[in-house]
Amino acid sequence: MKILFVLEQLNIGGPQKSLLGLLENIDCNHNNIDVLLLQNEGRLCEYLGDRVNLLKTPDIVDAFTFPVKRVKKTLFTFWRTGGLRLFLSGLFLLCRHALTKNCMNVQRQKFWKKNKKYLPLLEKSYDIAIGYAPVMSTYYVVDCVNAQFKCHWVRCDYRILDMDKRIEAEYFRKTDGIIAVSKICADIFAEEFPFAKERTTYFYNFIPLNFYNKLPEVEFASKKSSKEIRIITIARIDRYKGVDMALEACLELKTKIDFKWYFVGDGSSRNYYENMAKEMGISEYAVFSGFQLNVMSCLKQSDIFVLPSLSEGKSNAVDEAKYCGMPVIVTNYPTATEQIEDGENGLICGMSGKDIASAVLKIVSDNKFAERLTENCIARKQTNEEPEHLFERIMKQRFVEDSGNKISEI
């Protein structure tokens, strides 16, 4: 079977690591796998190995994603490919974004739809082509790829996205399957796009264990005492990941337990939150350690994992913490219950610093309870469906749906 995965880039992130995990579990002896990057970049490219073919896309495809670091090249590419009309269309989008500072998602959607005629078709053909992340990858699959089955991969709670739903619907109608990272995400997607309900399914992420096993260990600073509790949050550093709530929890905890809270990850708001920690007088407790490639190594050196997020599709970091067998605390975002059974393999708390701090204290103050959470994480490790079974289901579902439509027409 010939399979194509399309992503914007292969830099470090949840979708990218999930793809590595998926590729580790696909039988490459019986499947020919291509990966295409719209932006031709990514630190994880070297970890694809020789089991996968990495395809290079032309500059015009890269330009259609409007990479922030290549504005001049983007405009030059528009001029060279589409002349004055395409150049002005791109320039107008960039100027509008510079003036309003609004999210570019909707404008990029409209630009893609209006100017897609300038995009070259991919010469190869496939049995299955998947827009893996983000949604522009699915636009590329629909408009530029010759495949028997075209699929979109849903990685989040679709209600929170700042996108033009009409354009989304137009493209999703042209897909043959929708794959979500969790059942709850699949249900939410089906509510947002009812026409796709019958061909929407879910498939849990794999942890890329082979990838992590190849990486060097991360060296954290030694604990100051045997009583020090090491709390860890692995996430992008921005407001959607609830870093402000975590800092409020630090403030609550600093007079009650001996701890260090490590924030592993990077993001545009990192400096903002580091300054906030200083202003709150908790910088010695809240440690922003930046990006770390081997997060499994970080988890194995920690005592409690906390994800204070506002929204998740299905958190890779939560799965990785559970795999390591450590107490897990998550806030009560809509999809939390699909990964955590409150009081059994972790704790689900309210969205406030006080609630998070209370959950930490509950684990720290009761060793038997903490041990039970750990034992349950180890005993209830997630069982993943084989990727080949997923592909078979997609094709079968679409065949049944098409047959039903033909019968109703008769």
Side-chain angles (χ1 to χ4, degrees):
M1 185 181 295
K2 293 185 291 185
I3 305 170
L4 173 69
F5 292 95
V6 180
L7 299 85
E8 188 168 275
Q9 37 76 12
L10 206 57
N11 288 316
I12 310 301
Q16 290 79 5
K17 288 195 296 182
S18 296
L19 178 64
L20 291 184
L22 178 60
L23 294 175
E24 286 178 9
N25 288 276
I26 291 179
D27 183 358
C28 291
N29 292 324
H30 295 89
N31 297 290
N32 191 336
I33 311 298
D34 286 353
V35 173
L36 183 146
L37 306 178
L38 301 183
Q39 293 185 355
N40 285 324
E41 64 180 21
R43 288 186 59 184
L44 294 181
C45 289
E46 62 183 287
Y47 297 99
L48 289 176
D50 56 6
R51 301 170 72 247
V52 174
N53 305 309
L54 182 61
L55 305 183
K56 183 175 177 60
T57 51
D59 288 345
I60 187 61
V61 176
D62 175 90
F64 263 60
T65 67
F66 288 89
V68 176
K69 297 179 181 179
R70 296 189 290 279
V71 173
K72 290 183 179 179
K73 182 180 178 181
T74 294
L75 291 174
F76 174 75
T77 302
F78 288 153
W79 178 273
R80 185 181 59 192
T81 304
L84 183 62
R85 178 173 294 184
L86 187 60
F87 172 83
L88 291 176
S89 183
L91 181 62
F92 176 75
L93 185 154
L94 291 169
C95 289
R96 183 173 181 177
H97 172 66
L99 291 172
T100 64
K101 304 298 182 182
N102 291 334
C103 178
M104 287 179 65
N105 287 347
V106 173
Q107 295 304 316
R108 288 201 306 168
Q109 283 180 283
K110 292 178 179 179
F111 180 90
W112 185 292
K113 181 182 175 182
K114 177 183 176 183
N115 299 293
K116 61 185 179 182
K117 63 183 179 182
Y118 294 103
L119 293 170
L121 301 180
L122 191 63
E123 293 182 0
K124 300 179 70 173
S125 60
Y126 297 89
D127 296 300
I128 297 179
I130 299 172
Y132 199 76
V135 73
M136 306 304 285
S137 62
T138 298
Y139 292 7
Y140 181 84
V141 166
V142 169
D143 291 331
C144 303
V145 178
N146 178 20
Q148 185 178 359
F149 293 91
K150 300 182 178 184
C151 303
H152 171 63
W153 207 294
V154 180
R155 311 207 62 85
C156 64
D157 179 341
Y158 233 86
R159 296 171 298 191
I160 69 168
L161 294 185
D162 182 15
M163 305 291 280
D164 187 321
K165 294 290 178 67
R166 292 171 298 178
I167 297 177
E168 296 280 81
E170 180 180 328
Y171 274 91
F172 295 153
R173 287 183 188 277
K174 297 176 182 178
T175 64
D176 302 288
I178 305 295
I179 308 163
V181 293
S182 70
K183 184 179 184 303
I184 295 175
C185 277
D187 292 341
I188 291 171
F189 185 89
E191 290 173 4
E192 294 290 301
F193 303 98
F195 62 84
K197 182 176 181 179
E198 296 303 318
R199 59 178 184 271
T200 299
T201 187
Y202 65 94
F203 181 85
Y204 292 143
N205 293 329
F206 285 95
I207 298 173
L209 297 175
N210 292 340
F211 163 69
Y212 285 127
N213 289 337
K214 296 175 183 176
L215 299 176
E217 297 293 314
V218 175
E219 293 186 10
F220 275 153
S222 300
K223 292 184 178 182
K224 292 182 178 179
S225 71
S226 59
K227 293 183 179 180
E228 183 181 288
I229 305 298
R230 180 170 288 166
I231 305 169
I232 186 169
T233 292
I234 299 173
R236 186 179 64 254
I237 306 300
D238 64 31
R239 65 186 182 90
Y240 296 107
K241 297 301 182 180
V243 180
D244 51 341
M245 291 189 290
L247 295 181
E248 290 170 7
C250 286
L251 191 61
E252 290 283 326
L253 293 169
K254 76 172 190 175
T255 59
K256 298 173 182 176
I257 59 172
D258 183 8
F259 76 99
K260 282 281 193 301
W261 193 319
Y262 286 85
F263 293 88
V264 176
D266 222 329
S268 58
S269 301
R270 179 179 169 182
N271 289 339
Y272 171 80
Y273 286 115
E274 285 184 307
N275 290 332
M276 179 183 289
K278 291 177 183 178
E279 292 172 2
M280 295 170 71
I282 55 171
S283 56
E284 66 177 289
Y285 303 97
V287 180
F288 289 85
S289 56
F291 167 78
Q292 300 291 341
L293 190 56
N294 194 348
V295 295
M296 289 287 275
S297 173
C298 299
L299 287 167
K300 290 174 183 176
Q301 299 176 64
S302 303
D303 302 303
I304 300 173
F305 173 81
V306 179
L307 183 64
S309 190
L310 303 182
S311 178
E312 293 287 332
K314 185 172 184 289
S315 168
N316 289 2
V318 169
D319 282 342
E320 290 162 347
K322 288 164 59 182
Y323 183 88
C324 292
M326 61 191 302
V328 175
I329 299 170
V330 300
T331 45
N332 57 350
Y333 49 83
T335 60
T337 55
E338 197 158 349
Q339 290 181 281
I340 297 297
E341 186 178 350
D342 189 31
E344 294 297 322
N345 63 346
L347 289 176
I348 301 176
C349 67
M351 288 198 184
S352 74
K354 287 186 177 181
D355 289 332
I356 295 169
S358 295
V360 171
L361 291 173
K362 184 175 182 178
I363 291 172
V364 172
S365 63
D366 191 337
N367 288 334
K368 289 185 177 180
F369 178 64
E371 288 173 4
R372 183 159 65 87
L373 294 181
T374 296
E375 290 169 0
N376 288 341
C377 280
I378 296 172
R380 302 178 188 182
K381 285 185 177 179
Q382 176 181 295
T383 301
N384 292 72
E385 180 185 7
E386 291 295 325
E388 284 76 12
H389 295 167
L390 168 68
F391 303 142
E392 290 171 4
R393 280 199 294 116
I394 292 169
M395 292 185 284
K396 184 177 180 180
Q397 280 180 205
R398 189 54 171 168
F399 176 77
V400 170
E401 185 179 345
D402 287 344
S403 299
N405 290 338
K406 291 177 181 177
I407 292 172
S408 64
E409 289 172 5
I410 296 172

